[in-house]
Amino acid sequence: MRPSFAVLALALTALLSAPALAAQAQSAAPAVRGMTTDVGFKVVMVPDGSGAPIKVGIWYPTDTPATAPARGMDDLPVAAGAPITGDRLPLVVMSHGNGGWFGGHYDTAIALAKAGFVVAALTHTGDNYEDQSRATDMANRPRQIHVLIDYMLKDWEDHDRLDADRVGAFGFSSGGFTVLAAAGGELDGARLQPHCRDHPTHYDCQLLLRAPPSPGAFAGWVHDARIKAVVSAAPALGYAFKAETLKGLRQPVQLWRAEDDEILPDPFHASAVHASLPNADYHVVAKARHFDFLTPCNAYARKNLAFLCNSDPGFDRAAFHKDFNAAVTAFFKANLTKP
């Protein structure tokens, strides 16, 4: 049985309060020449004129040695509050899946920071492990990405260390949809009802049934032309994208699909996106399930959050993440080049 969103929220709450959270794999991605391999980390609250402040985790290169893991992100130490190192650094913003939080992909964020990127991951207001009040307000997600990019490039205390011409976006599940929409894609809300009529038990349809979208949930899309490259892993609602707007995406896109995705089953999501973006750097991960894109599980998570750690017995999530993080890092390095 697929977990309900209430179960997801309770589980993630427990996960964050636990002394140990998932992550066993260090990234295999090498650091950029001349960059430090140490990683700083800060949490900031980003003002949002259309809602509550947005909680954001930021990872970045530093010369300060890492000392301890951040709360809820064990096994990979960081230098909390350390000064940033480098200039004209590329920026990658991260968007989590439904009911998630900014730390859901912290091993990938750390891999990117070790390679010289600044990574800013937000906890989506109204769609996170504590608050599902706007879980189907899909247009609100790319709008928040735009707010985050504005903040990082204009108001963050180290904004002058960033290169505004080198901005990438990474997203998983609902976040995978989010970054595609932020880069220029648009969903067609009229496609939801026919899909859910034919597939009422699908996870996305169950969510839409429990939390019917508001009239503006699929309108007023906010795009951000500053996004120059996109990584979308297991994107949600692929069937509802407008093919003509996806084909209009000029940015390089790296697209990932879990072969045995039990939450967003094929061919309705990642495959549907790929059909409109045939030139995307497309990866189908053999034996992978939906949550295998999340940070690898440790013993605590495997015992207490089995549904998030329910990998195929023949699938090594930690080994996959070494390859995944290296591929994501290489993609952003190749496509966020210095002008």
Side-chain angles (χ1 to χ4, degrees):
M1 179 180 296
R2 294 172 185 145
S4 70
F5 287 93
V7 171
L8 280 172
L10 288 172
L12 284 167
T13 302
L15 193 70
L16 288 171
S17 61
L21 176 66
Q24 295 176 329
Q26 289 278 7
S27 168
V32 173
R33 180 172 302 197
M35 296 303 298
T36 177
T37 57
D38 285 310
V39 177
F41 175 72
K42 295 179 181 179
V43 177
V44 299
M45 299 301 294
V46 175
D48 181 359
S50 297
I54 302 170
K55 194 172 187 177
V56 176
I58 305 174
W59 295 260
Y60 52 89
T62 184
D63 288 327
T64 303
T67 54
R71 180 174 179 264
M73 295 178 279
D74 72 321
D75 296 341
L76 297 180
V78 294
I84 192 170
T85 296
D87 291 295
R88 298 194 67 195
L89 300 172
L91 169 68
V92 173
V93 294
M94 278 190 168
S95 174
H96 61 74
N98 173 259
W101 69 303
F102 71 71
H105 304 275
Y106 71 86
D107 68 310
T108 305
I110 287 175
L112 286 166
K114 286 185 174 184
F117 292 83
V118 173
V119 180
L122 78 171
T123 294
H124 281 284
T125 306
D127 186 5
N128 58 67
Y129 72 98
E130 293 180 310
D131 176 14
Q132 287 282 288
S133 62
R134 302 184 70 177
T136 57
D137 187 354
M138 306 311 292
N140 192 45
R141 280 176 148 264
R143 185 196 65 79
Q144 291 179 353
I145 290 291
H146 177 74
V147 170
L148 175 58
I149 295 174
D150 267 353
Y151 171 83
M152 292 300 296
L153 295 181
K154 298 177 183 178
D155 299 317
W156 183 45
E157 62 180 350
D158 290 310
H159 71 274
D160 57 337
R161 299 294 191 96
L162 299 175
D163 187 341
D165 293 323
R166 294 195 292 159
V167 178
F170 170 100
F172 161 69
S173 196
S174 285
F177 136 77
T178 300
V179 294
L180 290 169
E186 294 187 5
L187 294 183
D188 183 353
R191 299 183 183 184
L192 299 178
Q193 186 174 1
H195 173 82
C196 290
R197 179 192 61 223
D198 296 338
H199 308 283
T201 63
H202 282 196
Y203 193 61
D204 51 321
C205 297
Q206 289 292 303
L207 173 61
L208 291 164
L209 183 65
R210 287 190 296 271
S214 64
F218 290 85
W221 298 102
V222 175
H223 308 307
D224 199 315
R226 293 170 295 187
I227 297 173
K228 299 299 194 300
V230 173
V231 174
S232 177
L237 302 178
Y239 62 86
F241 272 109
K242 293 182 178 180
E244 60 270 24
T245 59
L246 278 182
K247 288 178 180 177
L249 289 182
R250 304 271 186 242
Q251 304 92 328
V253 174
Q254 186 179 76
L255 181 64
W256 294 80
R257 176 170 77 83
E259 183 180 50
D260 298 326
D261 197 319
E262 77 286 17
I263 301 298
L264 301 176
D266 196 55
F268 305 105
H269 302 280
S271 289
V273 172
H274 186 231
S276 295
L277 294 174
N279 294 325
D281 177 19
Y282 189 47
H283 302 256
V284 179
V285 186
K287 294 186 178 182
R289 296 174 180 168
H290 189 71
F291 296 116
D292 285 321
F293 289 108
L294 293 174
T295 296
C297 293
N298 64 6
Y300 175 87
R302 286 192 295 270
K303 179 180 179 180
N304 296 280
L305 303 166
F307 66 89
L308 290 179
C309 306
N310 189 27
S311 298
D312 182 279
F315 185 80
D316 186 334
R317 190 191 291 193
F320 162 62
H321 269 250
K322 290 183 180 180
D323 295 335
F324 177 65
N325 292 343
V328 169
T329 300
F331 174 81
F332 280 130
K333 285 171 64 177
N335 291 288
L336 297 178
T337 57
K338 292 184 179 181

